[in-house]
Amino acid sequence: MGKYVYGPILSRRYGWSLGIDVMPKLKTCTFNCVYCELGKTSTKGYASLNFRVEMPPKFKEEFTEELQAKLVEHASYIRAITFGYNGEPTLNKNLDIILDITRKLRYEAGIEKVPITILTNSSTLGDPSVRKVLLNFDIVIAKLDGGTQEILQYVNRPHYSIPPFDGIVNNLCLLKKEMKTDTKLYIQTLLYKVNPPTSIKSNARGDNVVAIASAINKIQPDQVHVYSVAREPAEPSVIKVSKLELIELSDLMANNVDRSIDIYYFP
Ligand code: SF4
């Protein structure tokens, strides 16, 4: 793995995807999700809403060199370039510059149709400067695992500075309204169960997916993706839901929204 660019890795949704990590080596996130595959968020890496990561001097040259080399090797078969990995990428103060370089190099590699996507936990979208950068991605994939404040709290364990659930939903609505038609918003929901005895609570519940459906009706995203745990979670009692349960919960969600739901199940 390079300093900023990794892969290509086989992505669940896009096939071969080149990864861009704009976060420090220490996982830095406004959430501490019970299912996070990067482990628990440390006290130092647990970021407030206003915390921003600044890139080191000369990052433009280093990033350009790394991405150029990866594109020379892999441009012919990659299907996406995805920002995300070691935390919440919108906490990076220089995200706009990194995106500009990526768009330029994508053009030079002759693969303008390969989408540049970003994974966000949706917590920072109240900041107009964050939304402004996100509007220049091709696809924004935003997390929504709980349909109420209570569920958001126990699943994602947000930093206390993060807006409440209704505020997050309003910010997602705002982002969607600001997007031009060539930028897409996907909502992704991870559902998990737990192995008792544990104080951790499951979010794979009918009332939760109905509540998420209600938020989706407000946000009007372009797609909704439902999936479950695929790798070792931060909390050992967290386990994946079965394919059948995932289908049943997704069907329940779909019955309460005016769109289809895409299910991603990995045995
Ligand atoms: S938002 Fe993503 S990186 Fe942050 S704790 Fe949750 S799963 Fe991990």
Side-chain angles (χ1 to χ4, degrees):
M1 181 169 167
K3 202 166 168 184
Y4 304 112
V5 188
Y6 61 95
I9 52 166
L10 200 48
S11 149
R12 303 170 187 198
R13 277 153 264 185
Y14 300 108
W16 287 105
S17 176
L18 209 54
I20 299 197
D21 185 14
V22 295
M23 301 309 285
K25 291 286 161 250
L26 178 77
K27 171 192 165 189
T28 303
C29 194
T30 49
F31 282 1
N32 180 19
C33 303
V34 292
Y35 60 79
C36 183
E37 64 188 45
L38 300 168
K40 289 182 190 168
T41 310
S42 65
T43 311
K44 200 168 168 221
Y46 201 20
S48 76
L49 195 58
N50 296 322
F51 176 81
R52 291 293 178 269
V53 172
E54 274 190 64
M55 297 299 263
K58 297 219 173 145
F59 81 89
K60 287 186 210 166
E61 294 80 359
E62 284 178 358
F63 176 68
T64 301
E65 203 177 302
E66 260 191 46
L67 184 55
Q68 242 163 2
K70 284 281 188 183
L71 287 173
V72 165
E73 221 180 315
H74 307 290
S76 61
Y77 68 96
I78 56 166
R79 294 290 169 265
I81 300 173
T82 305
F83 282 58
Y85 186 58
N86 211 22
E88 173 51 36
T90 60
L91 293 174
N92 190 301
K93 197 178 173 182
N94 306 115
L95 192 58
D96 53 344
I97 300 173
I98 304 164
L99 177 60
D100 282 351
I101 297 172
T102 307
R103 294 183 75 97
K104 180 172 166 279
L105 295 182
R106 178 181 66 167
Y107 176 79
E108 285 172 8
I111 53 165
E112 296 101 306
K113 292 233 157 64
V114 169
I116 302 177
T117 72
I118 183 163
L119 299 160
T120 174
N121 66 15
S122 316
S123 66
T124 58
L125 308 182
D127 180 341
S129 65
V130 168
R131 291 200 308 279
K132 194 172 168 211
V133 182
L134 292 184
L135 296 178
N136 289 321
F137 280 83
D138 299 303
I139 303 171
V140 176
I141 304 171
K143 186 183 289 301
L144 202 62
D145 302 322
T148 65
Q149 177 65 28
E150 185 219 341
I151 303 176
L152 165 82
Q153 203 67 41
Y154 75 67
V155 174
N156 305 114
R157 302 187 294 199
H159 188 274
Y160 69 86
S161 58
I162 299 309
F165 175 74
D166 288 346
I168 291 178
V169 172
N170 285 343
N171 294 336
L172 282 162
C173 292
L174 214 51
L175 177 70
K176 178 60 186 152
K177 280 200 192 92
E178 289 168 359
M179 280 177 162
K180 295 192 198 100
T181 48
D182 53 355
T183 308
K184 305 291 177 207
L185 176 64
Y186 298 175
I187 295 292
Q188 65 168 15
T189 297
L190 185 144
L191 299 173
Y192 65 87
K193 291 196 307 183
V194 290
N195 250 337
T198 175
S199 58
I200 308 284
K201 291 190 240 167
S202 161
N203 72 342
R205 302 175 0 198
D207 62 333
N208 186 35
V209 295
V210 170
I212 292 172
S214 160
I216 286 166
N217 284 330
K218 289 183 195 152
I219 300 164
Q220 292 290 310
D222 297 281
Q223 290 186 19
V224 181
H225 300 170
V226 175
Y227 63 115
S228 192
V229 181
R231 299 188 189 89
E232 198 179 328
E235 298 291 349
S237 59
V238 167
I239 52 172
K240 74 165 70 174
V241 299
S242 70
K243 189 173 183 181
L244 186 61
E245 287 166 304
L246 205 59
I247 292 170
E248 283 172 356
L249 288 164
S250 302
D251 280 351
L252 181 58
M253 192 190 275
N255 287 340
N256 286 277
V257 292
D258 51 2
R259 64 195 56 244
S260 64
I261 307 287
D262 296 320
I263 302 171
Y264 293 88
Y265 182 78
F266 300 91

